[in-house]
Amino acid sequence: MKVGFISLGCPKNQLDTEVMLHEVLEAGYEITPEETEADVVIVNTCAFIESAKKEAIDNILDVAWLKKHHKLKAIIVTGCLAERYGEEIFKELPEVDAVLGVGSIHHIVEAVESVTVKKKKGSKAKFYSHDDRDAVALGGDRILTTPDFAAYLKIAEGCDNRCTYCAIPSIRGRFRSRPMEELVAEARQMESLGVKELTLIAQDITRYGQDLYGSYSLAELIRRITAETSIPWIRLLYCYPDKITDNLIAEIRDNPRVLKYIDLPLQHISDRVLRRMNRHGDSNMIREVLAKLRREIPSVVIRTTFIVGFPGETEEDFEALCTFVKEQKFDHAGAFAYSREEGTPAYDFPDQIDEQTKQDRLDILMREQTEINESLNREKVGQIVEVLCEDYDPVAEVYFGRSAADAPEIDGKVYFKSDARVPAGTFVRVKVREVVDYDLYGVLVKE
């Protein structure tokens, strides 16, 4: 019996896929990367915003075609879409045979067994599991789906921030930290597998430890991981500005193995919009945090994200955001048009903005950021940067990888020529010769 996986959405969802992969493999099933060869396909979905839901449904429908025209016997839907819409999925997508909420990922083997046995017996009964998401055991053994040299470490689950536009608390539940000893042990396991870059993730990693230890404990966790492993690069994603403590700043600054890179989702700068979003802190706090980070960590790379077109966002609010982006010159910034999600407070807000206006504002903001990125990248021409080699492109005849300034899958890459073979997972020094869009191009510097 062959099982295929499709994993959608963020790295946090990807880790759930890795746990399910391990459990299915341990149960004796064969994993296949080809959906056309699978007897069962598990689609681990995202449902954060409308585009993510559409992507999930499109993938399910694609797999449903295989069920009709190939050997595929059953489709299992897991993840955020399954948590958010539950048994409604059976009604809207009758091709689906099993649905598991985010609290039920450890029932994946039971689901596979159920749908395959029922198919053999000719039964049309569906398998459904929707356990308490706040009670599910976090972590667990997993099969890495990242390259051998890089891995994510999910240090917490859920979120308590309650931003008015966000469905994550209703999907993923309350914020729960994983015990520090468990995380350090997993980091040691990642090191034993050859991981060179460990990225700490959660909905809000800066809140880590508050529920378990009574205080923000991210800095202590970082110290423990660096003390008990020799993993060279430790990257931090999804830090909230109101929880950036002096202790954390000092740890990032003084720990040579913590990358001077911080993902700081700001969402907006207008105080009026921030209040309606229920964001913690105001524009003055945001500016103070940015100034302190740049003052204390002069080489810090800051990534952020913004939402445009939030209900009630005026032209003045949007202009303030554009001015802020021009002033701050973020190393990386992404933006999204506001997605009206049922079940969130903002869904019922007055002054909803039409889709065309949202898209126009998104285009304007991203054009500004593109110019900033090009300018910052041009300053790197002639510099030598350390790069973690990821692979070789035989068509372009160049190696590629990432610098400390680039997070996996979301930022740019560094492409470089080398006469000598460079194995994946190797750190090299590259002299930057030119810039194309968000990427750097250069040559290997021989030691």
Side-chain angles (χ1 to χ4, degrees), residues 80-327:
C80 295
L81 191 78
E83 178 69 28
R84 194 169 181 185
Y85 296 102
E87 291 186 275
E88 185 181 342
I89 292 173
F90 292 133
K91 179 182 177 181
E92 300 297 328
L93 298 165
E95 301 89 349
V96 173
D97 300 279
V99 172
L100 275 68
V102 297
S104 299
I105 63 170
H106 299 296
H107 292 304
I108 190 61
V109 173
E110 183 184 353
V112 173
E113 291 173 348
S114 175
V115 295
T116 52
V117 168
K118 286 174 181 175
K119 289 295 178 182
K120 288 180 182 178
K121 294 181 178 179
S123 169
K124 294 184 179 180
K126 306 286 188 176
F127 182 92
Y128 180 67
S129 181
H130 195 268
D131 290 354
D132 181 0
R133 65 196 170 209
D134 291 342
V136 64
L138 303 180
D141 292 333
R142 54 193 174 106
I143 303 294
L144 292 185
T145 56
T146 50
D148 294 342
F149 50 82
Y152 294 104
L153 181 64
K154 183 158 63 171
I155 67 174
E157 181 60 278
C159 188
D160 290 342
N161 288 323
R162 300 287 171 181
C163 302
T164 57
Y165 54 81
C166 185
I168 291 298
S170 64
I171 296 172
R172 289 282 175 177
R174 62 178 176 81
F175 185 86
R176 293 99 69 204
S177 301
R178 294 175 60 191
M180 202 171 296
E181 293 74 16
E182 180 181 305
L183 292 170
V184 173
E186 188 168 332
R188 288 199 299 266
Q189 183 184 23
M190 295 299 102
E191 179 186 28
S192 71
L193 295 174
V195 166
K196 303 290 182 63
E197 178 182 20
L198 187 67
T199 301
L200 309 190
I201 58 173
Q203 301 297 339
D204 177 2
I205 67 171
T206 38
R207 187 184 286 268
Y208 174 77
Q210 186 184 40
D211 53 329
L212 291 182
Y213 310 116
S215 62
Y216 300 146
S217 306
L218 179 59
E220 183 183 349
L221 174 63
I222 294 169
R223 284 193 291 271
R224 287 281 304 276
I225 290 174
T226 49
E228 299 190 36
T229 75
S230 59
I231 296 172
W233 278 9
I234 297 173
R235 189 181 297 275
L236 310 178
L237 292 187
Y238 319 121
C239 301
Y240 275 62
D242 58 299
K243 305 180 191 71
I244 300 292
T245 64
D246 291 344
N247 191 26
L248 178 60
I249 291 175
E251 186 63 29
I252 297 171
R253 180 193 63 214
D254 300 335
N255 190 326
R257 285 159 52 203
V258 176
L259 299 182
K260 312 317 175 201
Y261 176 109
I262 189 164
D263 185 300
L264 204 67
L266 299 177
Q267 311 306 2
H268 218 283
I269 196 58
S270 161
D271 285 329
R272 201 178 66 84
V273 176
L274 290 169
R275 283 194 299 270
R276 286 169 65 86
M277 288 180 167
N278 194 37
R279 298 291 290 179
H280 302 172
D282 58 13
S283 59
N284 286 334
M285 181 274 291
I286 289 172
R287 286 188 165 91
E288 287 171 4
V289 168
L290 292 170
K292 181 182 284 189
L293 284 169
R294 288 168 169 150
R295 182 174 63 250
E296 297 294 327
I297 315 169
S299 61
V300 70
V301 172
I302 299 176
R303 157 171 277 283
T304 191
T305 50
F306 299 106
I307 295 174
V308 298
F310 189 76
E313 181 192 57
T314 64
E315 286 293 339
E316 184 181 6
D317 294 326
F318 178 66
E319 285 298 324
L321 177 59
C322 290
T323 300
F324 174 68
V325 168
K326 291 176 187 176
E327 290 172 351

Side-chain angles (χ1 to χ4, degrees), residues 427-445:
F427 287 101
V428 295
R429 297 167 73 235
V430 174
K431 185 169 185 177
V432 179
R433 293 279 182 83
E434 61 177 319
V435 174
V436 179
D437 297 326
Y438 293 97
D439 302 319
L440 307 178
Y441 288 75
V443 294
L444 181 76
V445 175

Side-chain angles (χ1 to χ4, degrees), residues 37-56:
E37 297 179 356
D39 299 287
V40 178
V41 167
I42 297 162
V43 186
N44 193 21
T45 59
C46 177
F48 175 51
I49 56 177
E50 188 61 34
S51 59
K53 289 186 285 187
K54 184 179 185 304
E55 181 186 26

Side-chain angles (χ1 to χ4, degrees), residues 164 276 311 338 340-352:
T164 57
R276 286 169 65 86
Y338 166 71
R340 190 181 184 189
E341 296 300 315
E342 66 271 24
T344 64
Y347 183 86
D348 296 317
F349 281 3
D351 304 320
Q352 297 285 333

